[in-house]
């Protein structure tokens, strides 16, 4: 049963009028949302410099990224409920302050243990900050046109922030020091805190606010295990391929037998974590059905429209993160771009997102979320499919530019209605949990997508190399290695495009919400 309820716009009591400083609050929230999005990619380009400076081994290097993704993905649902119950503004402030402190520690790191610890802390506080930010937008903007504009800003950041992170990471690494990839967060977070205190209102979930501690433990461990398991698959695939390439080079030069690398999916420990994580998630679901105060009420997920939005989010996350990862490698390792140039070469995606996010914020209240999500998925898939035709000497303007522009246009049309739809009807009590679920699906999708695409890419590289050497190619010819790499990247782009097409199909089949289902006036729809 649904009924309209007025939106709370002050710290304590509901008021019929929208909060007058909501647009200033949006600007403040947008700054910290960008911090969390940037941090997923800003360190990537700096990895070689970080590893060389701190003596991080090749085997341990992945923890610079994994330490962040594990804690961020694992604590998201708990972070969303803390925001609902403890207060969204309070959680936002603590998340921003903690993120700033962790970033400062990362920049001061003197060894790999200190750096990994700082990255893990960034993930924990990011898991507070991200759902609190999105939940605040939900309760601040209730008019459909205003909410669409607010989510247009969020969608632009979510879709384009990763590319901006690559550029900023390249600039800071090349012209300053890798430590500034962490320290750059400090002034932004401190400014956001100073502005949030006067401009962002407090809001809390009404009704029962008891914490589901057993559920929090189960889902935190479950999500972290799943993310880590798939991360191990991706790493094993790349390690096995590198070892096989080295062995095949020596074998071809000496007339020996070529070897085929083992699949990353043969890593037994990875499967232990993946299966164990799935079991914990299943136990979590059973617990949530039976408990009186669930961490994640099943009504949030089982609603057809929100469920469709979360599944679409998982597929988009899987395709998007993999695309950025392989595109960055293509620019640097094949085309030979310097880090800062590689970052700048990723900006067409951001340009496309900004254009389409603005258009989507106008169109969502007029046509509803479904048509834009289907169109966005197909446009983004077309962009990735365009990138699947790149070669060793492809000019930037020939394929990478139009491919990325299409990808960005598609992501903007996808993220704006997706963010809106995932929260519509969740009710003020569950705004933090619903927004955390959206972030969690993107994070889990990204880890799965990276593992799957890395495995497919490695398989294509190995097959191409073996065929070339069997045909008599000179193993010392760098063109052979480059051509094999391109084969791997284009294979990844093709499959990433398929994931986004699947996301568009899911949106088309599952989502039934129309523009009439969006909130009207100053009402929020509560489900209960």
């Amino acid at each position: 049963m649904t009924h309209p309820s007025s939106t709370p716009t002050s710290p304590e009591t509901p008021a019929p009028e929208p909060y007058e400083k909501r647009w200033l609050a949006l600007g403040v929230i947008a700054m910290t949302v960008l911090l969390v999005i940037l941090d997923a990619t800003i360190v990537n380009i700096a990895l070689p410099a970080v590893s060389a400076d701190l003596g991080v081994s090749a085997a341990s290097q992945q923890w610079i990224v994994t330490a962040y993704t594990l804690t961020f993905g694992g604590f998201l649902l708990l972070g969303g409920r803390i925001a609902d119950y403890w207060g969204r503004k309070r959680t936002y402030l603590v998340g921003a302050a903690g993120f700033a402190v962790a970033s400062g520690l990362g920049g001061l790191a003197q060894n790999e243990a200190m750096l990994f610890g700082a990255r893990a802390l960034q993930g924990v506080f990011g898991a507070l900050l991200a759902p609190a930010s999105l939940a605040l937008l939900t309760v601040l903007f209730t008019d459909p046109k205003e909410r669409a504009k607010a989510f247009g800003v969020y969608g632009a950041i979510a879709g384009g922030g990763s590319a901006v992170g690559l550029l900023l990471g390249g600039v800071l690494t090349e012209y300053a020091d890798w430590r500034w990839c962490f320290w750059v967060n400090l002034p932004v977070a401190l400014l956001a805190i100073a502005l949030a205190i006067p401009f962002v209102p407090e809001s809390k979930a009404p009704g029962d606010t008891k914490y589901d501690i057993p559920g929090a433990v189960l889902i935190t461990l479950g999500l972290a295990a799943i993310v880590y398991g798939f991360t191990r698959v991706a790493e094993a695939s790349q390690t096995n391929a590198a070892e096989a390439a080295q062995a095949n080079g020596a074998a071809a030069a000496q007339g020996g037998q070529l070897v085929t690398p083992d699949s990353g999916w043969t890593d037994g420990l990875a499967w232990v974590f993946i299966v164990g994580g799935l079991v914990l998630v299943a136990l979590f679901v059973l617990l949530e059905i039976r408990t009186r105060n669930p961490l994640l009420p099943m009504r949030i997920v089982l609603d057809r429209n929100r469920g469709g939005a979360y599944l679409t989010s998982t597929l988009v996350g899987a395709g998007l993160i993999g695309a950025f990862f392989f595109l960055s490698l293509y620019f640097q390792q094949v085309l030979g771009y310097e880090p800062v140039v590689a970052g700048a070469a990723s900006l067409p995606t951001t340009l496309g997102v900004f254009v389409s996010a603005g258009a989507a914020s106008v169109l969502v209240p007029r046509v509803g979320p479904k048509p834009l999500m289907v169109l966005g998925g197909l446009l983004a898939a077309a962009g990735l499919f365009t990138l699947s035709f790149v070669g060793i000497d492809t000019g930037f303007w020939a394929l990478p530019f139009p491919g990325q522009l299409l990808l960005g246009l598609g992501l903007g049309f996808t993220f704006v209605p997706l963010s809106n739809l995932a929260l519509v009807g969740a009710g003020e009590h569950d705004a933090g949990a619903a927004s955390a679920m959206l972030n969690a699906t993107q994070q889990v999708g990204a880890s799965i997508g990276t593992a799957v695409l890395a495995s497919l890419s490695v398989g294509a590289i190995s097959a191409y190399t073996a065929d070339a050497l069997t045909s008599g190619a000179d193993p010392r010819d760098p063109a052979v290695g480059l051509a094999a790499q391109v084969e791997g990247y284009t294979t990844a782009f093709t499959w990433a495009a398929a994931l986004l097409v699947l996301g568009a199909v899911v949106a088309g089949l599952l989502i039934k919400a129309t523009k009439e289902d969006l909130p009207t006036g100053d009402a929020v729809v509560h489900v209960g």
Side-chain angles (χ1 to χ4, degrees):
M1 179 177 178
T2 63
H3 63 274
S5 170
S6 58
T7 304
T9 56
S10 71
E12 300 295 337
T13 58
E17 293 299 321
Y19 178 63
E20 61 181 7
K21 297 178 181 177
R22 60 194 179 281
W23 294 107
L24 288 172
L26 171 63
V28 175
I29 293 167
M31 292 194 312
T32 43
V33 171
L34 182 60
L35 277 186
V36 177
I37 299 293
L38 283 179
D39 224 68
T41 55
I42 192 172
V43 179
N44 287 4
I45 284 183
L47 287 179
V50 175
S51 300
D53 197 11
L54 298 184
V56 181
S57 67
S60 300
Q61 181 174 297
Q62 50 94 11
W63 279 103
I64 300 173
V65 175
T66 306
Y68 177 81
T69 57
L70 277 183
T71 52
F72 181 66
F75 283 95
L76 271 170
L77 285 178
L78 178 59
R81 259 313 182 223
I82 290 173
D84 283 333
Y85 293 171
W86 194 43
R88 293 165 189 128
K89 176 180 179 178
R90 185 181 299 174
T91 304
Y92 173 90
L93 291 173
V94 170
F99 199 87
V101 170
S103 297
L105 290 174
L108 293 171
Q110 299 301 305
N111 52 58
E112 62 178 38
M114 186 175 175
L115 180 63
F116 297 161
R119 289 290 282 164
L121 269 181
Q122 280 185 309
V124 170
F125 287 108
L128 291 175
L129 192 55
S133 299
L134 195 52
L136 282 167
L137 293 187
T138 304
V139 298
L140 284 173
F141 295 93
T142 54
D143 176 80
K145 292 183 179 178
E146 288 193 348
R147 177 178 279 196
K149 290 178 181 177
F151 280 121
V153 173
Y154 179 85
I157 294 171
S162 296
V164 174
L166 292 174
L167 173 61
L168 190 56
V171 170
L172 292 173
T173 301
E174 191 161 330
Y175 296 112
D177 187 277
W178 65 263
R179 297 179 185 276
W180 280 102
C181 291
F182 293 92
W183 289 336
V184 71
N185 295 332
L186 287 169
V188 180
L190 294 175
L191 178 62
I193 292 168
L195 294 175
I197 292 172
F199 294 138
V200 176
E202 182 61 284
S203 67
K204 294 182 181 180
D208 199 335
T209 56
K210 293 181 181 177
Y211 286 101
D212 171 21
I213 301 300
V217 173
L218 284 174
I219 195 61
T220 298
L221 293 177
L223 288 177
I226 290 171
V227 170
Y228 180 61
F230 281 108
T231 301
R232 281 189 65 95
V233 172
E235 291 157 4
S237 296
Q238 293 166 347
T239 301
N240 293 343
E243 291 174 352
Q246 186 176 9
N248 284 338
Q254 300 170 9
Q257 187 175 0
L258 299 179
V259 298
T260 302
D262 293 332
S263 168
W265 298 100
T266 60
D267 184 338
L269 191 55
W271 281 108
V272 169
F273 279 99
I274 292 171
V275 174
L278 291 173
V279 170
L280 290 173
V281 170
L283 291 174
F284 168 76
V285 172
L286 291 175
L287 178 67
E288 298 307 276
I289 293 172
R290 300 186 178 190
T291 188
R292 286 189 58 190
N293 306 294
L295 181 73
L296 178 67
M298 287 297 105
R299 62 179 177 270
I300 292 179
V301 182
L302 296 178
D303 175 85
R304 178 168 181 159
N305 292 306
R306 279 196 298 276
Y310 293 144
L311 185 52
T312 302
S313 169
T314 304
L315 292 166
V316 171
L320 173 61
I321 298 299
F324 276 126
F325 175 72
F326 289 107
L327 192 60
S328 175
L329 290 177
Y330 173 72
F331 283 146
Q332 294 185 78
Q333 296 186 7
V334 177
L335 298 186
Y337 291 172
E338 294 296 324
V340 66
V341 178
S346 303
L347 287 182
T349 302
T350 305
L351 173 63
V353 168
F354 285 156
V355 171
S356 58
S361 67
V362 176
L363 292 172
V364 166
R366 297 181 182 179
V367 303
K370 178 176 176 176
L372 295 181
M373 289 179 68
V374 174
L375 172 64
L378 295 177
L379 278 176
L384 288 172
F385 189 65
T386 300
L387 291 173
S388 72
F389 292 97
V390 297
I392 293 178
D393 54 0
T394 301
F396 173 75
W397 299 103
L399 288 175
F401 178 81
Q404 289 185 90
L405 190 62
L406 275 174
L407 174 62
L409 290 171
L411 292 176
F413 280 127
T414 301
F415 274 117
V416 174
L418 178 65
S419 304
N420 201 329
L421 187 64
L423 295 167
V424 165
E428 188 198 338
H429 187 275
D430 298 326
S435 60
M437 187 64 187
L438 179 63
N439 282 290
T441 54
Q442 290 173 350
Q443 188 65 35
V444 171
S447 67
I448 295 172
T450 302
V452 171
L453 295 178
S455 298
L456 292 167
S457 173
V458 165
I461 290 173
S462 301
Y464 183 92
T465 303
D467 289 344
L469 296 179
T470 303
S471 302
D474 185 352
R476 292 165 296 184
D477 184 358
V480 174
L482 284 178
Q485 282 182 277
V486 170
E487 183 70 19
Y489 301 156
T490 54
T491 299
F493 291 140
T494 302
W495 283 100
L499 288 171
L500 289 173
V501 169
L502 185 57
V505 171
V506 167
L509 292 177
L510 292 184
I511 293 170
K512 299 298 181 185
T514 65
K515 61 180 180 180
E516 284 76 21
D517 296 309
L518 300 178
T520 57
D522 53 15
V524 175
V525 178
H526 288 250
V527 178

